[in-house]
Amino acid sequence: MDCVKQALLVGGYKNVINRLMIKKLLLSFSILLLLSSLSAQQLSDRAWARADSLLGQMTLDEKVGQMTLFTSDWVVTGPTLRPGYRDDILAGKVGAIFNAHTSEYNHQLQKMAVEETRLGIPLLFGYDVVHGYRTIFPIPLGESASWDLQGIEQTARIAAVEASAAGLNWTFAPMVDIARDPRWGRVAEGAGEDTYLGSLISAARVRGFQGQNIGDENTILACVKHYAAYGAAQAGRDYNTVDISDRTLREIYLPPFKAAKDAGVYSFMTAFNDVDAVPCSGNSYLLQDILRKEWGFQGMVVTDYTSINEMVPHGIVANNAEAATLAVNAGVDMDMQGAVYYDYLAKQVKEGLVSVETVDQSVRYILALKYELGLFDDPYRYGSKEREAEEVFSQAHLNVALESSIKSLVLLKNERGALPISASKSIAVVGPLADNKAEMLGNWFGDGRADDVITPLMAFRAIGADVYYAKGCETSGEDESRISEAVVAAEQADIIVAFVGESGYMSGEAASRSDITLPGPQRALISALEATGKPLVLVLMNGRPLDLSWEVAHCDAILEAWFPGTMGGPAIVEVLMGEANPSGRLPITFPRSVGQVPIFYNAKNTGRPFDANNKYTSKYLDVENTPLFPFGFGLSYAEITYGKPVLSKTEFSASETVKISIRVTNTGDVATTETVQLYVHDLVGSVTRPLKELKGFQQVTLAPGATQQVEFEIGVNDLAFYTRDMTWKAEPGDFEIQLGPNSRDVQTATIKLTD
Ligand code: NOJ
């Protein structure tokens, strides 16, 4: 049924929604993506040579200027220390500006740098283009639920096309922090809890932003963040201490950064937190030993917002001057917003605390990147009014946003045949998020505008659905006085769809929650709706796993929609009405209660694994050990059955591989996309190993009745880990292979790696 699309067209929305067009567009994007994956970025010899020659002409103050990044006064995400950024540009005291966009404004600032300073060095323009510039895609956690790497690369590509059209050449993305604690608001910005999936998504996003050639006008520098282990903040409280073993750091938290580096990312952002008692912006183990020496990273390291200054309250330096010394000697090239290099770096060099060579090395990275971007050839090449008009928020981009939102939706529960909704039914559309444009953008939405968003209510109305609407309550506060209006709407309809969740500000930076249940009077709303006895569907919008134990018991169906972006409304309505079949899979575990947190699928067995009949085993007195919804979980409107795993051999040596295949059959009556997941458990290791680790997945689309043989290949690299002496290798022995539709419902087979 194409009626949502047609009706939106009739309704005068900027429309889009023609499947043929989408297919054509996806095809052309996939050709581009294939090309882009062929090149891994390196700074060229020419860029280094030109950087060196310019460096020779620079004063110490000019060098420090290049190492300084200030925000404009457009958007601010922390203390504003320097209101006079325009004066600083004119004085040659700043090398990059963030939070300024549109080609017109950025060209004005660029003109000041290029035409009114002694050396005329062009500025970099950065911004948090995290899940779209103006066309807003689902939040990264939601998009990660698609497990669709090509789609994720494509939305990053589009974000870069739009951002570069609007005068930007640098994004502070992707955020690749592994997040195992849903109390932490920033889980919304990453790819979830898993290192393997997170690493693939990290590389896909870098390729998307940076494209095939960073010298192209429609590509932007990516900045992988927050290096490192920010997601391990204790108790999920933002900016908090991180204290993890080197093994956990390297095995769980670092690989997505390494994947970004291998994909050619040009910049890294340091994290706010400390790791093993050293704040990341002064941490030479992270910045020198690992990033530069082990990984050979050749790009630029920028701090997070005032994180050099924050080493003073961290208690590792006494004042900002010492902080400057610690940061630059640790390997930080650019100071974001702290004005610490600006105020103290030249002085520290003059006092012999920092060498000129150290400063020069940082400036070389920055200048070489500016050369590589082509800014010295044409400082105004990023953005133009024409490009903005043609490329920003284009119809083609909205098409992709719709597809991306659909693929991010995860069906968590569907009973009593609640979904899909038959077109003949009347629908009560209720709840605080049924018609709330702004909240659907989530957080870090670039230049996304609430007015652009199509809400679920708008999409229902556009298809002429028989709708009764009432908001009922807000997402926060205590006011229950309007719940009765939602009940009146519910009583008139055949089925109730309640849009509940969090508001956008509850996710992202400085948005930790100690209670991860639905906030405000929303449970009271659901109770009142349930009392009508009508089928009750919940559509959730939120930026983190929520404790849904109560909700599961009080509704018929739950569709997790995250913050779905500009085209979220039509995407949700397509799925609710059965035009599209939900195919998202959770990239992060949903706990039964906050007391289980941190809970993640790749946990270890312990010496006293759970035994219901033995008190002295690892468990709680008041809640089960299992999660409410496991990692990798998601339902669809089809039924999929799995055959038995078949192995090409059961023993193999380090030079061989094992092929593992499984037959999947769609026994339902609608086409579906199934994500077949492969996990590995190393049964005995020189150190304790997780009970399962994702090592592969494949998405197959199956028509009703269709069967497909899905094949994986496992080699020694898939079995490697940091052994007792911290070498990365696989140890001979038995491995359990687990195959299934999610991390819980797996079938197993055993293989042996011989000596
Ligand atoms: C602070 C955030 O932690 C970081 O992710 C962001 O890129 C910067 N502010 C700049 O906005």
Side-chain angles (χ1 to χ4, degrees):
M1 168 167 107
D2 269 2
C3 52
V4 173
K5 298 151 210 161
Q6 272 157 23
L8 286 170
L9 182 62
V10 174
Y13 298 109
K14 190 157 184 176
N15 201 324
V16 254
I17 311 176
N18 170 315
R19 289 279 168 197
L20 257 180
M21 233 175 85
I22 293 176
K23 284 211 177 106
K24 259 202 209 146
L25 189 82
L26 293 179
L27 187 70
S28 60
F29 267 113
S30 25
I31 293 166
L32 273 178
L33 296 179
L34 185 72
L35 286 174
S36 75
S37 61
L38 297 177
S39 72
Q41 287 82 350
Q42 280 285 326
L43 285 166
S44 65
D45 291 345
R46 189 166 157 268
W48 288 122
R50 293 184 71 182
D52 282 336
S53 127
L54 183 54
L55 196 60
Q57 303 169 45
M58 292 171 75
T59 64
L60 180 56
D61 285 343
E62 284 166 339
K63 291 175 185 173
V64 172
Q66 288 304 303
M67 296 168 72
T68 297
L69 166 64
F70 284 143
T71 180
S72 80
D73 45 11
W74 283 34
V75 186
V76 179
T77 62
T80 309
L81 302 180
R82 306 273 336 151
Y85 63 99
R86 296 170 70 97
D87 295 339
D88 289 321
I89 295 173
L90 289 172
K93 289 180 147 195
V94 56
I97 291 288
F98 68 120
N99 292 335
H101 51 108
T102 71
S103 61
E104 186 178 9
Y105 189 59
N106 288 6
H107 288 182
Q108 265 180 37
L109 300 181
Q110 191 70 298
K111 191 158 183 280
M112 289 158 57
V114 171
E115 295 181 22
E116 298 183 51
T117 65
R118 187 179 81 93
L119 292 172
I121 302 174
L123 297 164
L124 287 176
F125 289 102
Y127 196 34
D128 289 282
V129 179
V130 171
H131 53 117
Y133 172 71
R134 168 96 183 260
T135 305
I136 302 302
F137 304 103
I139 54 167
L141 186 64
E143 207 182 33
S144 301
S146 71
W147 295 47
D148 172 16
L149 300 174
Q150 196 163 328
I152 289 169
E153 182 173 342
Q154 182 182 22
T155 59
R157 183 85 289 283
I158 290 172
V161 167
E162 293 196 2
S164 59
L168 293 160
N169 45 39
W170 189 20
T171 177
F172 304 134
M175 189 280 217
V176 305
D177 296 310
I178 296 299
R180 293 169 152 190
D181 193 328
R183 292 171 296 184
W184 193 49
R186 305 202 76 167
V187 299
E189 298 172 50
E193 75 185 34
D194 183 52
T195 303
Y196 175 83
L197 180 63
S199 299
L200 292 172
I201 290 177
S202 166
R205 290 200 165 120
V206 169
R207 289 195 302 268
F209 289 128
Q210 296 192 167
Q212 194 191 355
N213 178 2
I214 200 63
D216 292 344
E217 285 172 18
N218 65 4
T219 62
I220 57 179
L221 301 175
C223 181
V224 67
K225 69 188 189 185
H226 306 82
Y227 187 70
Y230 187 26
Q234 284 176 355
R237 204 183 73 213
D238 209 4
Y239 315 118
N240 205 3
T241 305
V242 168
D243 196 359
I244 52 178
S245 67
D246 197 43
R247 184 181 308 284
T248 299
L249 174 72
R250 287 175 174 272
E251 209 161 286
I252 305 296
Y253 290 93
L254 291 188
F257 290 94
K258 175 67 163 45
K261 188 263 154 194
D262 290 344
V265 77
Y266 280 114
S267 62
F268 269 64
M269 184 188 293
T270 58
F272 288 121
N273 53 281
D274 60 344
V275 170
D276 195 15
V278 182
C280 293
S281 292
N283 194 317
S284 58
Y285 174 62
L286 290 174
L287 298 176
Q288 295 293 345
D289 300 347
I290 296 179
L291 184 61
R292 297 289 184 197
K293 293 181 193 143
E294 277 182 39
W295 297 355
F297 176 63
Q298 287 290 303
M300 167 178 73
V301 174
V302 63
T303 67
D304 204 343
Y305 204 108
T306 61
S307 71
I308 302 183
N309 320 50
E310 291 165 27
M311 293 200 286
V312 177
H314 266 296
I316 198 153
V317 285
N319 52 46
N320 280 352
E322 284 183 18
T325 306
L326 180 61
V328 78
N329 287 335
V332 167
D333 304 312
M334 193 181 274
D335 171 5
M336 181 193 284
Q337 190 57 15
V340 173
Y341 284 0
Y342 178 98
D343 285 333
Y344 299 104
L345 190 50
K347 174 175 159 286
Q348 303 303 81
V349 171
K350 284 173 198 149
E351 289 177 8
L353 295 165
V354 174
S355 72
V356 174
E357 291 70 33
T358 300
V359 169
D360 283 358
Q361 186 50 51
S362 290
V363 179
R364 283 181 86 227
Y365 289 129
I366 295 161
L367 295 178
L369 278 176
K370 290 183 176 182
Y371 277 114
E372 213 68 275
L373 287 169
L375 288 171
F376 283 96
D377 301 323
D378 176 5
Y380 307 105
R381 65 199 303 263
Y382 290 91
S384 66
K385 290 214 153 147
E386 295 69 40
R387 271 195 65 198
E388 276 168 305
E390 199 173 312
E391 295 173 28
V392 174
F393 201 60
S394 72
Q395 186 155 306
H397 294 175
L398 289 170
N399 285 340
V400 177
L402 175 68
E403 287 298 299
S404 154
S405 297
I406 289 174
K407 287 181 184 165
S408 74
L409 302 177
V410 186
L411 184 62
L412 295 176
K413 175 178 178 179
N414 191 16
E415 284 173 11
R416 291 208 294 158
L419 292 177
I421 302 171
S422 129
S424 60
K425 295 256 165 79
S426 58
I427 308 166
V429 175
V430 299
L433 297 169
D435 193 32
N436 192 326
K437 291 172 161 230
E439 302 293 11
M440 289 173 65
L441 297 173
N443 57 84
W444 298 118
F445 45 79
D447 193 34
R449 300 173 193 182
D451 275 352
D452 294 342
V453 174
I454 303 176
T455 66
L457 180 65
M458 290 165 71
F460 271 124
R461 287 198 169 134
I463 61 169
D466 188 4
V467 163
Y468 300 88
Y469 168 69
K471 188 172 184 186
C473 66
E474 303 295 336
T475 51
S476 56
E478 287 167 12
D479 184 2
E480 297 183 5
S481 63
R482 296 182 62 191
I483 287 179
S484 54
E485 292 170 20
V487 172
V488 170
E491 273 163 354
Q492 297 172 75
D494 298 323
I495 182 166
I496 310 163
V497 184
F499 291 84
V500 291
E502 299 180 303
S503 63
Y505 82 88
M506 287 181 180
S507 289
E509 191 178 348
S512 297
R513 294 184 65 203
S514 67
D515 173 358
I516 53 169
T517 57
L518 277 183
Q522 297 182 96
R523 277 195 178 167
L525 171 72
I526 294 167
S527 275
L529 296 170
E530 186 194 12
T532 65
K534 302 276 171 81
L536 175 58
V537 177
L538 302 186
V539 177
L540 293 165
M541 294 187 199
N542 47 285
R544 57 160 55 78
L546 295 173
D547 162 1
L548 299 173
S549 296
W550 183 90
E551 285 71 16
V552 164
H554 292 272
C555 70
D556 298 296
I558 302 181
L559 182 68
E560 174 57 73
W562 318 102
F563 291 114
T566 313
M567 294 299 287
I572 291 167
V573 169
E574 280 204 28
V575 165
L576 292 176
M577 301 306 289
E579 278 185 61
N581 193 355
S583 62
R585 298 290 180 266
L586 293 179
I588 188 163
T589 303
F590 274 45
R592 292 179 188 277
S593 80
V594 76
Q596 291 181 311
V597 167
I599 179 170
F600 44 90
Y601 85 92
N602 47 349
K604 294 181 178 177
N605 206 26
T606 81
R608 292 192 180 191
F610 172 78
D611 177 350
N613 300 317
N614 183 348
K615 175 171 197 283
Y616 295 99
T617 57
S618 184
K619 58 175 184 263
Y620 300 96
L621 293 176
D622 52 0
V623 66
E624 290 178 37
N625 276 16
T626 56
L628 187 63
F629 297 113
F631 174 82
F633 179 79
L635 303 169
S636 84
Y637 298 147
E639 289 291 324
I640 299 290
T641 54
Y642 279 67
K644 293 268 161 245
V646 178
L647 306 177
S648 63
K649 49 172 94 96
T650 50
E651 288 199 7
F652 73 117
S653 69
S655 59
E656 297 173 311
T657 59
V658 181
K659 290 205 169 98
I660 300 151
S661 61
I662 194 156
R663 280 163 69 85
V664 285
T665 304
N666 181 357
T667 50
D669 50 16
V670 286
T672 195
T673 298
E674 176 71 359
T675 303
V676 183
Q677 300 163 36
L678 180 143
Y679 298 85
V680 170
H681 176 196
D682 186 347
L683 296 177
V684 179
S686 59
V687 293
T688 57
R689 302 292 303 138
L691 284 167
K692 55 187 76 206
E693 291 175 285
L694 184 70
K695 291 294 176 183
F697 63 89
Q698 284 186 43
Q699 296 195 307
V700 286
T701 297
L702 298 166
T707 294
Q708 196 163 322
Q709 187 90 1
V710 178
E711 192 170 277
F712 297 89
E713 195 165 355
I714 288 280
V716 78
N717 286 338
D718 302 303
L719 309 177
F721 63 100
Y722 285 101
T723 57
R724 186 70 170 264
D725 65 2
M726 288 301 283
T727 49
W728 176 258
K729 62 172 191 251
E731 294 175 338
D734 290 336
F735 295 82
E736 185 181 76
I737 303 295
Q738 308 170 8
L739 278 172
N742 60 60
S743 61
R744 180 189 61 200
D745 304 317
V746 292
Q747 304 191 54
T748 60
T750 306
I751 55 174
K752 184 188 278 301
L753 176 65
T754 56
D755 286 323

